[in-house]
């Protein structure tokens, strides 16, 4: 191979796994002065082998394991697993169970987006917003504790419904927390999203056109910020989404600032969804009781849902035994950090690298599973 | 006109963040941990408790545990479950599938030890007896 | 008596204590603005002792002597700058004509020393941090000099004691030169490398910058240098624009000195409070945006203020 190399002296800078900015994700940057010439991602620091582990465990145990697939947003992982099994078996979950599931999932989406505001601010050097966002998370984590018994790992859903019911106290506390969060959203508006330095760092940085976004496999707010109107909750609705009204937030520019505004809009939409669901909560059973060694019949299912980061899909193959034959998870962050991140970073400065990385909102645990 | 709009935008965006000064007059949101803490709620998944009367020795809890943290141990001539807190993932499946509601998770969550052996809950007259601090 | 001035009162020991007080106020007020509690008052002292007691490592390919000399030179430069600032009367312990220029020069030494520190670390992050530090020097040094030297340029007096005398007789310079005051505070934030200008040691992009390889006693002295620079810079702005010790004129005797010193401390803390508010409200900006902002907005603002002041003086108003 005859490659002619120009004489550019470059430094190799690690965007290392031990880093306040990258989660547990390693990338090597080739830098010339302040401009990044190339970025090579090295994922795998968080690979725990969930897909293989799930083949040796029965369904109640797998629901506990599925939590850990993406720690910042655990509810869609459980929801995806449980829905895929139910679709193979043709189970019909009682109405109250479905409502409870989506209430907790949307609260988890708000939690994930607030965590994202905190981490993005930390990475941009914006200390104050980081600390304040971490304090706002506490409201939703307390609601998690009330409903599920665990603060970060809920272990809440099971095949056939939810493991525990929600109480009237939970409904009251949730309304209070949602009022507080709406007030905080207007605070974030003038403090973070319309802060001059935040806008200077994020505007016109990491721009993607709609065709590039679709080619690179972007989903979720990254895709919607480029103008493509695609949301799994509207296009292929599941659970109770046909019965709630919400808007899909899209923007035109496709840069990091547009992605931020998309996520901020989604927090407001999720708050309204939870309010509608709490108002119409039906009574009745919330769970179908199944034996722990219940087996789904033979079959295959590919179930897609909208996690906070993007489109998460579960491909489940069952062979009639209590253990699933194959569980394959399509994580949304895989294309964010392995494909879009190196593509968007070329030609930008070192200071833009963390801004682009976190504006794409990858979850390092999600990439490696 | 566009220039004026751009300049006034920049101006408001530069001075609006100083609204954070109102936080000086509010109570802080953090608690100083060892002296004050947020108590866990009643359903919190913490350390296990065993009711020796109700336990039938069926070991469904041991079979269902995803991390194999429960196994049989001898006490008072019978076999009871013993829990290794180091392996436990606090999922509450043992409580959910126990037929006699003998093993339960209490809200107690402050468990500290420097020694792996003492993470295994011992068995005593009242059920599980912690050997850690 | 000069030994007392050099070592105890406006010299090393008292600057050490004031800088620790400054760091405590900085961290406590920042924490309250972020609705947290903040550290107790002895925290900076505890941090200093802890760092001094830890092992100090030097990278194999770096030069040991220069590595050790840099923090010591930094502390020495800032202490020397501080003794020329008049704290309790119109005169500092060692006044002379032109001492304002000497103070400003000595206060710019820490940035050059940070560059050397980053370069000698033989670490990728240190190199990037060092080059960013020098680039930042180009950005804010011009507005800083224009703003701080504007009292001297307008009145024609080039010694700090003379400027303070002028302020006692007429009004404080903040009334004549408000824009220079604003430019001076913003450029001081840039010189001290505080958010929004803490680009050289941006921890989230280049884990530490020039400080990456420092540990133990050398790091303790580096942090002490930054804290002392914070206090000395705020004190300089308080002396030049807010009238230093002055509120009710000169009172003779020891009581006058004590009252003057307390007033001076209050004014320094006001300047510090403005710096803290700027730190709490903004994110970090990029280096090219910093240079363009300072050359497009800060330097012209200082120049326009100078032209207005000189014009008013020639018109006979001042």
């Amino acid at each position: 191979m005859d490659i002619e190399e120009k004489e550019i002296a470059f430094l190799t800078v690690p965007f290392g796994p031990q880093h306040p900015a990258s989660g547990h994700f390693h990338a090597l940057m080739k830098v010339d002065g302040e401009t990044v010439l190339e970025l090579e991602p090295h994922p795998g620091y968080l690979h725990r082998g969930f897909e293989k582990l799930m083949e040796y465990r029965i369904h109640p145990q797998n629901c506990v394991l599925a939590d850990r697939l993406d720690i910042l947003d655990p509810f869609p992982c459980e929801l995806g697993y449980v829905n895929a099994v139910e679709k193979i078996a043709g189970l019909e979950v009682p109405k109250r169970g479905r409502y409870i599931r989506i209430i907790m999932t949307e609260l988890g989406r708000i939690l994930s987006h607030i965590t994202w505001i905190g981490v993005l601010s930390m990475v941009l050097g914006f200390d104050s917003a980081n600390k304040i966002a971490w304090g706002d998370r506490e409201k939703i984590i307390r609601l998690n504790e009330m409903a599920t018994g665990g603060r970060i790992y809920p272990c809440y859903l099971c095949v056939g419904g939810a493991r525990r019911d929600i109480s009237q106290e939970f409904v009251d506390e949730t309304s209070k927390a949602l009022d507080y969060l709406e007030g905080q959203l207007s605070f974030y508006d003038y403090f973070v999203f319309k802060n001059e330095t935040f806008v200077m760092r994020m505007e016109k940085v990491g721009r993607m056109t709609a065709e590039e976004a679709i080619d690179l496999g972007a989903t979720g707010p990254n895709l919607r910020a480029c103008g493509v109107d695609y949301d799994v909750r509207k296009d292929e609705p599941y659970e109770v989404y046909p019965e709630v009204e919400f808007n899909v937030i899209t923007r035109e520019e496709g840069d990091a600032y547009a992605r931020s505004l998309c996520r901020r809009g989604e927090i407001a939409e999720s708050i309204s969804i939870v309010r509608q669901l709490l108002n119409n909560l039906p009574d009745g059973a919330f769970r179908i009781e199944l034996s722990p060694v219940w087996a789904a019949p033979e079959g295959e299912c590919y179930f897609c849902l909208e996690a906070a980061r993007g489109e998460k899909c579960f491909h489940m193959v069952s062979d009639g035994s209590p253990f699933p034959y194959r569980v394959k998870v399509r994580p949304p962050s895989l294309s964010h950090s392995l494909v879009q991140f190196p593509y968007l970073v070329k030609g930008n400065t070192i200071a833009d690298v963390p801004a682009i990385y976190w504006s794409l909102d990858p979850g390092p645990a999600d990439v490696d599973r | 006109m566009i220039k004026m709009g751009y300049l006034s935008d920049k101006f408001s965006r530069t001075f609006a963040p100083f609204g954070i000064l109102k936080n000086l007059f509010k109570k802080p949101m953090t608690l100083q941990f060892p002296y004050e803490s947020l108590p866990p709620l009643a359903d919190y998944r913490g350390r296990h408790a065993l009711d020796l009367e109700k336990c039938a020795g069926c070991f469904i809890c041991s079979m269902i545990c995803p991390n194999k943290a429960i196994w049989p141990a001898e006490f008072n001539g019978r076999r009871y479950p013993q829990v290794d807190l180091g392996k436990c993932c606090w999922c509450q499946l043992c409580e959910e599938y126990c037929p006699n509601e003998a093993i339960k998770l209490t809200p107690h969550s402050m468990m500290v030890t420097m020694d792996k052996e003492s993470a295994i809950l011992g068995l005593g007259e009242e059920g599980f007896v912690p050997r850690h601090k | 008596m000069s030994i007392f001035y050099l070592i105890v009162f406006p010299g090393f020991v008292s600057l050490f204590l004031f800088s620790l007080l400054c760091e405590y106020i900085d961290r406590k007020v920042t924490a309250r603005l972020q609705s947290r509690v903040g550290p107790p008052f002895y925290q900076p002292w505890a941090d200093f002792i802890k760092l001094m007691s830890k092992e100090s490592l030097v990278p194999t390919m770096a030069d040991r002597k220069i590595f050790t000399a840099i923090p010591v030179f930094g502390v020495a430069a800032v202490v020397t700058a501080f003794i020329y600032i008049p704290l309790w009367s119109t005169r500092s312990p060692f006044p002379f004509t032109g001492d304002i220029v000497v103070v400003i020069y000595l206060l710019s030494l820490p940035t050059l020393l940070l560059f050397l520190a980053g370069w000698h670390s033989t670490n990728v992050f240190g190199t990037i941090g060092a080059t960013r530090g020098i680039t930042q020097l180009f950005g804010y040094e011009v507005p800083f000099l224009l703003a701080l030297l504007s009292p001297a340029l307008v009145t024609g007096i080039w010694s700090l004691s003379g400027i303070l005398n002028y302020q006692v007789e007429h009004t404080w310079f903040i009334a004549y030169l408000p824009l220079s005051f604003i430019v001076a505070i913003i450029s001081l934030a840039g010189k001290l490398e505080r958010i929004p200008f803490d680009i050289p040691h941006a921890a989230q992009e280049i884990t530490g910058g020039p400080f990456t390889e420092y540990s133990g006693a050398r790091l303790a002295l580096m942090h002490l240098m930054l804290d002392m620079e914070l206090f000395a810079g705020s004190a300089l702005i308080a002396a030049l624009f807010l009238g230093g010790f002055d509120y009710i004129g000169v009172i003779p005797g020891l009581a006058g000195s004590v009252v003057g010193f307390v007033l001076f401390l209050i004014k320094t803390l006001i300047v510090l409070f403005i710096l803290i508010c700027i730190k709490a409200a903004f994110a970090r900006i990029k280096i090219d945006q910093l240079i363009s902002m300072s050359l497009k907005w800060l330097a012209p603002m200082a120049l326009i203020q100078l032209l207005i002041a000189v014009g008013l003086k020639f018109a006979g108003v001042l």
Side-chain angles (χ1 to χ4, degrees):
Chain A
M1 249 196 328
D2 230 28
I3 308 175
E4 207 186 87
E5 286 195 357
K6 277 198 337 192
E7 284 278 341
I8 311 180
F10 54 77
L11 290 172
T12 311
V13 180
F15 186 60
Q18 280 143 339
H19 198 117
S22 76
H24 299 292
F25 177 72
H26 177 50
L28 270 182
M29 299 193 279
K30 287 213 181 83
V31 166
D32 170 29
E34 280 265 334
T35 327
V36 176
L37 301 170
E38 191 188 327
L39 184 130
E40 202 184 305
H42 294 284
Y45 279 88
L46 279 178
H47 181 68
R48 294 149 288 169
F50 276 122
E51 297 176 357
K52 185 68 178 172
L53 285 176
M54 282 185 177
E55 291 175 17
Y56 292 95
R57 285 164 172 76
I58 55 180
H59 292 304
Q61 297 175 328
N62 274 338
C63 293
V64 168
L65 207 55
D67 257 352
R68 273 89 170 158
L69 277 173
D70 182 4
I71 24 181
L72 298 174
D73 189 21
F75 282 105
C77 312
E78 293 188 34
L79 194 67
Y81 182 88
V82 155
N83 259 309
V85 174
E86 286 164 4
K87 281 220 161 24
I88 297 180
L91 281 180
E92 187 66 34
V93 177
K95 212 151 187 247
R96 188 177 169 96
R98 283 190 284 143
Y99 269 68
I100 293 178
R101 280 181 180 179
I102 299 298
I103 289 175
M104 299 308 293
T105 307
E106 290 295 324
L107 282 177
R109 189 188 309 269
I110 301 176
L111 178 67
S112 171
H113 284 326
I114 293 183
T115 311
W116 167 79
I117 292 181
V119 179
L120 178 68
S121 312
M122 172 180 80
V123 153
L124 293 181
F126 196 177
D127 221 17
S128 310
N130 179 31
K131 308 288 198 294
I132 294 179
W134 239 253
D136 289 340
R137 284 180 82 210
E138 181 64 28
K139 299 277 175 204
I140 302 189
I141 291 183
R142 197 77 171 148
L143 291 178
N144 265 354
E145 193 181 341
M146 209 180 283
T148 76
R151 285 163 66 93
I152 303 285
Y153 291 128
C155 306
Y156 190 54
L157 305 183
C158 65
V159 178
R163 281 166 73 188
R164 292 198 215 185
D165 201 358
I166 58 178
S167 59
Q168 184 56 37
E169 190 195 353
F170 174 81
V171 175
D172 298 332
E173 288 292 318
T174 310
S175 310
K176 278 196 246 173
L178 291 178
D179 290 333
Y180 171 79
L181 284 173
E182 271 188 336
Q184 281 298 94
L185 265 187
S186 55
F187 169 74
Y188 283 128
D189 267 341
Y190 76 78
F191 190 63
V192 178
F193 295 108
K194 292 209 173 61
N195 190 330
E196 180 60 27
T197 47
F198 185 84
V199 173
M200 276 162 82
R201 285 299 290 268
M202 303 282 273
E203 216 169 28
K204 302 195 176 64
V205 159
R207 209 180 203 148
M208 273 200 289
T209 60
E211 292 82 30
E212 282 175 353
I214 298 178
D215 273 340
L216 296 171
T219 51
N222 296 347
L223 183 64
R224 293 197 278 277
C226 305
V228 179
D229 184 0
Y230 179 71
D231 186 337
V232 185
R233 295 176 290 174
K234 278 262 199 259
D235 299 329
E236 297 164 25
Y238 52 96
E239 298 267 344
V240 292
Y241 284 113
E243 298 165 30
V244 292
E245 299 203 354
F246 62 98
N247 305 322
V248 172
I249 314 271
T250 56
R251 292 193 70 88
E252 289 301 322
E253 302 95 27
D255 57 6
Y257 191 55
R259 297 194 273 269
S260 314
L261 289 180
C262 265
R263 289 197 180 94
R264 180 247 176 266
E266 279 187 19
I267 299 181
E269 292 300 319
S270 290
I271 292 180
S272 113
I273 293 179
V274 176
R275 283 219 168 97
Q276 290 175 42
L277 290 175
L278 283 178
N279 284 338
N280 304 334
L281 195 59
D283 295 316
F286 58 91
R287 179 181 186 174
I288 303 178
E289 294 285 343
L290 294 169
S291 116
V293 289
W294 169 85
E298 264 189 58
E300 199 176 325
C301 170
Y302 189 71
F303 177 70
C304 298
L305 50 79
E306 180 85 12
R309 297 190 153 69
E311 182 178 345
K312 198 177 202 69
C313 305
F314 274 77
H315 178 214
M316 177 94 56
V317 178
S318 165
D319 62 351
S321 78
F323 307 100
Y325 182 72
R326 171 80 173 111
V327 179
K328 159 92 176 89
V329 182
R330 186 249 177 215
S333 316
L334 193 74
S335 98
H336 294 345
S337 46
L338 295 185
V339 177
Q340 294 164 40
F341 179 44
Y343 178 78
L344 289 177
V345 150
K346 278 209 187 81
N348 285 316
T349 67
I350 300 183
D352 287 327
V353 168
I356 297 179
Y357 183 62
W358 279 103
S359 76
L360 293 171
D361 198 7
D366 204 17
V367 173
D368 297 327
R369 282 156 288 146
Chain B
M1 285 305 282
I2 302 175
K3 193 74 180 164
M4 274 317 290
Y6 170 72
L7 274 181
S8 78
D9 249 353
K10 252 181 138 61
F11 191 77
S12 69
R13 290 197 299 230
T14 315
F15 285 98
F18 285 105
I20 197 180
L21 282 169
K22 65 182 194 305
N23 274 343
L24 276 178
F25 306 110
K26 294 192 200 161
K27 234 171 71 95
M29 64 182 171
T30 52
L31 298 172
Q32 302 203 271
F33 176 53
Y35 310 117
E36 14 174 89
S37 72
L38 210 54
L41 297 171
D43 302 335
Y44 191 72
R45 290 182 251 128
R47 194 170 66 202
H48 306 68
L50 182 67
D51 189 336
L52 292 175
E53 311 277 303
K54 292 188 182 166
C55 178
C58 64
F59 295 109
I60 288 183
C61 50
S62 172
M63 288 189 270
I64 198 95
C65 179
N67 292 352
K68 303 185 178 31
I70 308 186
W71 67 92
E74 286 270 341
F75 179 70
N76 265 356
R78 282 189 49 194
R79 294 166 80 218
Y80 289 105
Q82 190 173 47
V83 181
D84 182 355
L85 291 177
K87 290 195 186 147
C88 174
C89 69
W90 319 99
C91 62
Q92 216 178 21
L93 282 175
C94 49
E95 176 178 340
E96 193 175 331
Y97 287 105
C98 176
N100 295 346
E101 295 181 11
I103 185 168
K104 285 197 189 301
L105 261 58
T106 61
H108 180 98
S109 58
M110 304 288 171
M111 297 168 267
V112 176
T113 179
M114 302 272 264
D115 169 25
K116 264 207 310 200
E117 288 303 316
S118 66
I120 304 178
L121 283 180
L123 286 166
E125 282 307 323
E126 326 85 60
F128 285 136
V129 171
R131 296 190 286 170
H132 53 261
K133 280 191 286 299
Chain C
M1 196 56 186
S2 338
I3 302 282
F4 176 78
Y5 283 141
L6 273 178
I7 301 198
V8 180
F9 181 40
F12 182 69
V13 171
S14 60
L15 182 59
F16 181 68
L17 293 173
F18 292 147
S19 66
L20 292 184
L21 172 75
C22 242
E23 184 181 348
Y24 160 67
I25 292 181
D26 180 18
R27 287 165 75 167
K28 190 79 173 174
V29 176
T30 315
R32 289 282 161 161
L33 283 174
Q34 297 168 355
S35 48
R36 299 183 285 133
V37 176
F41 68 91
Y42 47 81
Q43 184 70 35
W45 179 230
D47 284 340
F48 185 75
I49 297 180
K50 176 204 80 165
L51 275 177
M52 292 294 267
S53 68
K54 294 226 175 195
E55 182 187 6
S56 181
L57 298 171
V58 179
T60 0
M61 300 217 297
D63 192 338
R64 259 197 115 81
K65 296 203 185 65
I66 295 193
F67 225 65
T68 317
I70 289 175
V72 175
F73 268 117
V75 173
V78 183
V79 173
T80 316
F82 186 69
I83 48 178
Y84 292 113
I85 301 178
L87 291 186
W88 65 85
S89 71
T90 51
R91 295 161 43 94
S92 67
F94 309 98
F96 60 93
T97 315
D99 58 3
I100 184 173
V101 180
V102 171
V103 167
I104 295 179
Y105 169 71
L106 283 173
L107 279 182
S108 71
L109 265 187
T111 316
L112 302 174
L113 288 172
L114 276 182
F115 168 73
L116 271 184
W119 199 257
H120 277 274
S121 294
T122 66
N123 184 347
V124 159
F125 298 126
T127 319
I128 298 181
T131 45
R132 281 181 176 187
I134 288 288
T135 316
Q136 189 164 322
L137 183 76
F138 286 135
Y140 62 76
E141 197 70 11
V142 170
F144 191 61
L145 287 173
L146 276 177
L148 279 186
L149 293 177
S150 49
L153 286 170
V154 165
T155 56
I157 309 170
W158 286 84
S159 71
L160 274 168
S161 30
I163 290 180
L164 273 176
N165 264 326
Y166 189 93
Q167 290 190 75
V168 171
E169 289 163 19
H170 310 350
T171 52
W172 298 344
F173 274 116
I174 190 173
Y176 305 146
L177 304 164
L179 286 182
S180 284
F181 180 63
I182 298 174
V183 171
I185 289 194
I186 299 178
S187 329
L188 185 66
K191 178 193 268 305
L192 296 168
E193 292 172 11
R194 290 167 68 85
I195 300 178
F197 309 118
D198 73 338
I199 302 162
H201 55 87
Q204 288 88 17
E205 302 156 22
I206 45 172
T207 54
F211 295 124
T212 325
E213 295 289 344
Y214 275 85
S215 53
R218 298 184 176 99
L219 187 62
L221 285 179
M222 286 285 233
H223 282 167
L224 189 64
M225 172 180 90
L226 284 181
D227 286 336
M228 286 181 173
E229 207 187 339
L230 174 65
F231 190 72
S234 316
L236 185 63
I237 293 186
L240 281 175
F241 288 97
L242 291 175
F245 72 101
D246 169 55
Y247 190 71
I248 35 186
V250 183
I251 311 176
L254 188 62
S257 305
V258 169
V259 168
F261 179 64
V262 167
L263 286 170
F264 185 87
L265 210 54
I266 293 177
K267 289 175 196 174
T268 312
L269 292 181
I270 293 178
V271 174
L272 184 64
F273 184 72
I274 301 179
L275 281 173
I276 293 174
C277 290
I278 298 180
K279 171 179 175 180
F282 291 118
R284 177 189 312 136
I285 59 180
K286 295 192 283 197
I287 187 83
D288 50 334
Q289 290 168 340
L290 166 66
I291 305 281
S292 83
M293 179 192 90
S294 70
L295 292 178
K296 268 200 251 184
W297 293 91
L298 290 181
M301 239 162 68
L303 270 178
I304 290 175
Q305 175 67 84
L306 261 183
L307 288 174
I308 295 178
V310 170
L312 283 178
K313 178 173 181 191
F314 275 118
V317 177
L318 264 185

